[in-house]
Amino acid sequence: MDRTRAPTPRRGCRCTNAKSKDDRSAHRCYDRIAPTNLNKDAGRLMGFLAATGRAFLIFLEATGRLALFTGSALSHCVRPPLYPRQILRQMIDIGYYSLPVVGLTALFTGMVLALQSYSGFSRFQAEGAIATVVVLSVTRELGPVLAGLMVAGRIGAAMAAEIGTMRVTEQIDALSTLSTNPHKYLVAPRLIAGLTMLPLLVIVADVIGVFGGFLVGVYRLDFNAASYINRTWEFLQPVDVISGLVKAAIFGFLIALMGCYHGYHSKGGAQGVGAATTNAVVSASILILVWNYLITGIFFSTK
Amino acid sequence: MTDPKIALPKIALKGVRKQFGPKKVLNGIDLEVGKGESLVVIGGSGTGKSVMLKCILGLLAPDAGSIMVDGVETTKLRTREREKLLHKFGMLFQGAALFDSLKVWENVAFGLIQGEHMPRAQAKEIAIAKLGAVGLSPDVAELSPAELSGGMQKRVGLARAIADEPEIIFFDEPTTGLDPIMADVINELIVQCVKDLGATAVTITHDMASARKIADRVAMIYEGRIIWTGHAGDIDHSGNAHVDQFVHGRAEGPIKMQVRAL
């Protein structure tokens, strides 16, 4: 930005892009400040403020765009016609093909949890609590969070890449010209599949995770199998599992939303699609961690 | 405009403007396309040809101006009404834009199955017939788009554009990236399909051979404005220096290319 330019006498937006009064209110402009005879420090301060404001406006714009996108996509999830073939395809992609990776993650998480808590808890003679610790940690936290993160890497990236490629090769425009709403055809099935499949995946992950703990407990740490299972059930409450499944549903929704949103708004060629993929995975992962805290707070905070 | 003596234009653009950031792409487009007419819009790369088509289709919202289709203002339409309007349109995209997750026949039948809820078996029959109309054999129908050559993809794209018998068809650089013979085949197909359907066609291209073959009328777009329109036969004596330079493909003339010597 040229800060030595003489100030224009107009009020409101002073940017040179605005030619007329109407234009000024209509066009988007983040360069609202064109200071001149101010001394250097003030100029630097203004520059800093301008940059901050610009970043903030861009942030608001992105938030608004995401909110509109989410609203539109959600409304298409409940308004017919739905596309059963697309929903089924996405469900198989998300639910069935993620089983191996989620199962392995859960198995080793359960195993390491048993091992860790044994070495930790034996310091104060609480080894008996291991089964309970494993089942509570897995159902409440680690099942949904780790499954969510793994699926974010697997599915979020794939969605962003697929939809992004469709965007840059004009396939999304082609959908519109064939009287098919892209939000309904591409986004809604993925959201529905994410929302429904993640809880199912997490049920499997819970079982496998507890089983991993059981394996280590019984075969490595010499617990009695029957008493380990008893201890697993003893303190488990429905809310532990239910809270995990609610988390999973929300994580599934967030993964699909981020994948679709970033893919849908990707621009440029291969580089744009690559950036969209990265953004989808990173933003989904961060949102999972943030929402994990929020939902835990809603379910379990006593204060 | 509502003079009953003049037939209502199929598409009418008035003062259409569109800008991306500081870049003004469309700078007040005025254009009319008559019913059943084949209009070819010529112009260099980056002069706003594609943006104009996307504005008419509603894929992009123009900043100002009016776009009428069959006398109905389309710039303020709601999503549902827009979807209904798009039934009138077919479009052949520059890169064909076939859905690569679907088979060739599913691509051609897409508008019939999703847009008009036709049973799949019936839609498949129509799709194979349309593939025949663009000179492709039925065994191509089961292939995936990635297995086809560029020329064949264009033909499939054309079959898809005409599958649900639209009233208006847009062709976005139909011959770009094809060898001269295949380009001529595509041109022939376009002329044939448009004639068979009695459709209104708008083609954007910078291939003059293609323009001469397809066009009833030619319009030239330059710096976001229509600077000349006339009959296809008048294109060689347009009396417009810009058009003349473009038609004859000369580097020297009023149109300056942004090139810098190294």
Side-chain angles (χ1 to χ4, degrees):
Chain A
M1 192 167 59
D2 178 15
R3 293 205 190 80
T4 58
R5 196 170 49 216
T8 39
R10 284 198 213 104
R11 282 207 260 154
C13 171
R14 293 170 182 172
C15 116
T16 48
N17 300 336
K19 290 283 183 287
S20 69
K21 203 174 171 190
D22 296 338
D23 196 23
R24 211 180 309 151
S25 56
H27 87 288
R28 289 189 205 158
C29 173
Y30 303 122
D31 299 322
R32 289 185 185 239
I33 296 153
T36 51
N37 301 334
L38 305 164
N39 63 42
K40 222 176 179 180
D41 278 348
R44 206 171 289 152
L45 179 68
M46 291 304 261
F48 172 73
L49 289 176
T52 314
R54 193 156 43 225
F56 186 63
L57 284 175
I58 289 170
F59 170 75
L60 287 185
E61 196 187 325
T63 312
R65 204 167 48 200
L66 177 60
L68 287 176
F69 184 86
T70 312
S72 157
L74 272 179
S75 83
H76 282 295
C77 289
V78 292
R79 272 188 302 161
L82 297 171
Y83 294 102
R85 267 168 184 277
Q86 296 300 313
I87 297 176
L88 193 69
R89 204 193 117 202
Q90 293 304 326
M91 282 183 162
I92 292 171
D93 247 17
I94 298 176
Y96 184 68
Y97 288 112
S98 298
L99 272 176
V101 67
V102 168
L104 272 178
T105 312
L107 182 71
F108 282 101
T109 307
M111 283 164 67
V112 86
L113 209 53
L115 218 51
Q116 281 280 18
S117 37
Y118 182 79
S119 81
F121 284 22
S122 62
R123 292 180 194 167
F124 45 93
Q125 286 75 46
E127 298 95 328
I130 287 176
T132 312
V133 167
V134 168
V135 72
L136 289 192
S137 315
V138 168
T139 54
R140 281 178 167 208
E141 273 298 322
L142 296 171
V145 172
L146 292 179
L149 292 177
M150 296 309 282
V151 174
R154 219 187 83 82
I155 296 295
M159 282 181 184
E162 186 179 352
I163 296 181
T165 307
M166 290 186 76
R167 163 64 73 201
V168 300
T169 56
E170 295 187 306
Q171 289 180 49
I172 292 182
D173 290 343
L175 273 180
S176 300
T177 63
L178 294 165
S179 305
T180 304
N181 189 310
H183 280 188
K184 199 182 256 325
Y185 184 80
L186 292 176
V187 181
R190 285 169 168 80
L191 292 183
I192 294 172
L195 198 66
T196 52
M197 284 298 108
L198 253 263
L200 295 184
L201 274 175
V202 166
I203 291 177
V204 176
D206 286 352
V207 174
I208 295 179
V210 171
F211 179 66
F214 172 84
L215 283 183
V216 169
V218 172
Y219 293 103
R220 175 106 191 253
L221 307 173
D222 296 330
F223 280 81
N224 175 286
S227 73
Y228 188 95
I229 291 172
N230 274 340
R231 288 292 233 152
T232 299
W233 285 110
E234 200 175 353
F235 295 105
L236 185 68
Q237 291 173 0
V239 69
D240 298 324
V241 178
I242 291 168
S243 71
L245 298 186
V246 170
K247 282 181 181 179
I250 291 175
F251 296 167
F253 177 79
L254 290 173
I255 292 164
L257 182 70
M258 286 298 110
C260 294
Y261 173 78
H262 288 287
Y264 204 83
H265 291 100
S266 59
K267 3 180 127 63
Q271 197 188 8
V273 176
T277 310
T278 310
N279 288 338
V281 176
V282 171
S283 57
S285 305
I286 290 174
L287 282 175
I288 284 175
L289 296 175
V290 172
W291 276 89
N292 181 41
Y293 178 80
L294 297 177
I295 304 166
T296 308
I298 292 168
F299 269 98
F300 298 113
S301 108
T302 44
K303 286 203 170 185
Chain B
M1 175 114 239
T2 48
D3 185 350
K5 271 177 277 178
I6 302 167
L8 191 66
K10 194 76 182 166
I11 307 170
L13 283 75
K14 254 205 165 72
V16 174
R17 289 169 190 281
K18 177 74 189 172
Q19 91 184 57
F20 296 105
K23 189 163 184 268
K24 286 181 180 159
V25 180
L26 299 184
N27 207 355
I29 292 262
D30 296 309
L31 189 65
E32 286 192 357
V33 191
K35 195 166 185 300
E37 183 181 42
S38 175
L39 175 81
V40 169
V41 180
I42 56 172
S45 309
T47 47
K49 304 192 297 287
S50 289
V51 173
M52 184 184 78
L53 283 195
K54 287 185 177 171
C55 282
I56 301 175
L57 287 168
L59 299 174
L60 292 171
D63 298 332
S66 123
I67 298 170
M68 315 266 268
V69 176
D70 284 329
V72 179
E73 178 63 49
T74 67
T75 48
K76 301 277 187 292
L77 285 184
R78 303 173 60 86
T79 321
R80 277 282 159 93
E81 296 160 330
R82 162 87 51 202
E83 273 171 34
K84 220 171 263 171
L85 175 81
L86 283 169
H87 277 293
K88 289 184 182 178
F89 287 90
M91 174 146 179
L92 172 59
F93 286 86
Q94 191 175 346
L98 301 177
F99 306 125
D100 37 31
S101 58
L102 302 176
K103 288 177 190 166
V104 165
W105 79 263
E106 289 175 310
N107 264 284
V108 177
F110 193 93
L112 301 171
I113 296 173
Q114 311 295 359
E116 296 177 14
H117 309 293
M118 188 182 279
R120 287 174 68 82
Q122 192 188 345
K124 186 169 182 178
E125 272 175 38
I126 295 179
I128 288 174
K130 295 290 173 187
L131 284 172
V134 296
L136 292 173
S137 64
D139 41 306
V140 175
E142 297 295 332
L143 298 177
S144 97
E147 295 173 77
L148 305 180
S149 70
M152 282 165 100
Q153 288 188 358
K154 276 272 162 77
R155 290 205 224 183
V156 175
L158 181 60
R160 184 175 70 180
I162 61 171
D164 57 356
E165 310 198 336
E167 297 167 30
I168 304 164
I169 314 181
F170 288 167
F171 301 98
D172 187 354
E173 309 207 355
T175 55
T176 301
L178 300 178
D179 68 73
I181 297 170
M182 183 53 80
D184 200 53
V185 170
I186 296 285
N187 287 335
E188 295 266 1
L189 283 172
I190 289 175
V191 171
Q192 194 61 41
C193 291
V194 169
K195 204 175 17 165
D196 289 350
L197 288 173
T200 306
V202 178
T203 309
I204 56 180
T205 188
H206 44 233
D207 173 2
M208 287 316 298
S210 175
R212 284 175 210 275
K213 190 134 197 171
I214 298 172
D216 297 331
R217 211 155 60 89
V218 177
M220 166 120 180
I221 189 168
Y222 179 66
E223 290 186 336
R225 280 198 193 88
I226 301 288
I227 55 163
W228 183 82
T229 59
H231 286 283
D234 299 336
I235 196 164
D236 288 312
H237 32 88
S238 60
N240 183 309
H242 290 79
V243 178
D244 227 37
Q245 186 194 350
F246 191 87
V247 168
H248 297 106
R250 288 191 288 258
E252 297 300 316
I255 305 172
K256 296 277 180 261
M257 286 289 162
Q258 305 274 331
V259 278
R260 246 185 333 183
L262 289 172

